[in-house]
Amino acid sequence: MLHSSKFLILRDLEIFNSFSDIQIEQLSNQVLFEKCPKGKFLFQVGDAMSYVYIIHKGAVKVGMNTSNDKILIKEIAYKDEFVGENILPGHSERRLFAHAVKDTEVFKIPTSYFKSMLERNPNLCQNLTQILIKKMSSLETRMSNFVFKKAQSRIVDFLKELAVTNGLKIGMDEILVNHGLSHKEIANITDTSRQTVARVLGDLKRQNIIHFSPRKPHKILIRNMVNLA
């Protein structure tokens, strides 16, 4: 990617809204651009915390392997979102993995440089803190839903969240969501089973609330958000 293109993209990111053009220029000199095809790991458990990632295009799932050989998905990150930003002091190795769920492009900021930016810019610290708080709140909501909501409601809520954060509005009421996830991955996120995800999505399709093709189930067209309840 051209240096000028990196500059313009980074300048428009909200987290860097307090940076001057000179600071953005300095950041552009440090940032690396990388294309990650679907299935590639940005990092795995045990890797050194070498970079903080900003997603330019695509989607990345962040998670961990549990003791009973199951995968716990912590989050799905999309365009302009951070991955691997929780660089806590005392941790030199990754405790989570990050995996591209579709063809993805990322900016890689060296961890040492990112830390130096945090030390020099209080507004950046505040913006990053807000990002971390939002992610913690999302995890708390998922935990609460697991206790108080039935499986179908959790899956429907997940679709609603996707529509808000990553949906493309088509026409007056329809929203297209290209999530790039398998039924098993949705099940991991919603604390349900793959069979339950398939059944709920199938029921919603038969009711004409959503539509998807058997060949491309990762693309879901939501007919009307009001009816998605």
Side-chain angles (χ1 to χ4, degrees):
M1 175 178 285
L2 295 175
H3 179 81
S4 57
S5 298
K6 286 197 294 185
F7 176 89
L8 293 173
I9 294 169
L10 293 170
R11 187 185 63 181
D12 289 340
L13 292 177
E14 186 175 355
I15 191 169
F16 300 126
N17 58 12
S18 63
F19 278 35
S20 66
D21 283 353
I22 293 177
Q23 289 174 309
I24 294 294
E25 178 70 23
Q26 293 170 341
L27 175 60
S28 300
N29 290 330
Q30 295 291 326
V31 165
L32 302 175
F33 176 76
E34 182 177 337
K35 292 184 178 182
C36 302
K38 179 180 179 180
K40 181 178 179 179
F41 282 91
L42 277 66
F43 54 81
Q44 300 191 57
V45 176
D47 285 353
M49 290 187 173
S50 302
Y51 297 100
V52 173
Y53 299 81
I54 303 175
I55 301 174
H56 175 51
K57 291 181 181 179
V60 172
K61 67 177 179 182
V62 180
M64 62 184 296
N65 297 305
T66 64
S67 57
N68 55 355
D69 294 328
K70 291 186 177 181
I71 294 177
L72 175 63
I73 297 180
K74 181 181 178 183
E75 65 171 318
I76 305 293
Y78 294 96
K79 178 177 169 59
D80 295 343
E81 292 188 304
F82 272 79
V83 172
E85 77 289 344
N86 193 9
I87 45 177
L88 298 175
H91 297 294
S92 59
E93 296 181 348
R94 298 286 184 187
R95 298 187 171 188
L96 302 169
F97 66 77
H99 181 262
V101 298
K102 53 184 176 180
D103 290 345
T104 299
E105 298 176 357
V106 298
F107 292 114
K108 300 165 57 175
I109 307 175
T111 300
S112 57
Y113 189 77
F114 191 73
K115 287 182 177 180
S116 70
M117 288 196 302
L118 291 173
E119 293 171 356
R120 299 193 306 266
N121 195 307
N123 287 327
L124 177 61
C125 286
Q126 184 176 1
N127 289 344
L128 182 62
T129 299
Q130 291 301 315
I131 290 173
L132 294 174
I133 290 174
K134 183 179 179 180
K135 290 187 176 185
M136 290 177 61
S137 177
S138 178
L139 283 174
E140 290 179 357
T141 299
R142 282 177 58 188
M143 292 172 62
S144 176
N145 289 346
F146 178 70
V147 175
F148 296 108
K149 289 191 175 183
K150 295 182 179 179
Q152 177 167 336
S153 295
R154 297 200 295 271
I155 295 169
V156 167
D157 285 348
F158 175 69
L159 289 179
K160 289 180 178 178
E161 182 180 357
L162 282 178
V164 172
T165 59
N166 196 47
L168 176 64
K169 190 171 183 180
I170 300 175
M172 292 294 294
D173 301 313
E174 295 183 327
I175 297 177
L176 179 64
V177 176
N178 184 6
H179 54 76
L181 301 171
S182 67
H183 285 178
K184 181 61 177 177
E185 289 169 326
I186 296 176
N188 289 337
I189 296 171
T190 57
D191 301 302
T192 58
S193 67
R194 180 185 61 79
Q195 293 84 354
T196 300
V197 171
R199 176 180 57 79
V200 171
L201 294 181
D203 288 344
L204 293 172
K205 182 179 179 180
R206 282 188 289 275
Q207 296 171 44
N208 202 33
I209 296 174
I210 66 172
H211 176 75
F212 56 87
S213 166
R215 293 188 301 172
K216 297 181 179 180
H218 57 278
K219 290 186 177 181
I220 295 179
L221 181 68
I222 301 174
R223 298 293 192 188
N224 191 308
M225 284 287 286
V226 175
N227 296 329
L228 189 62

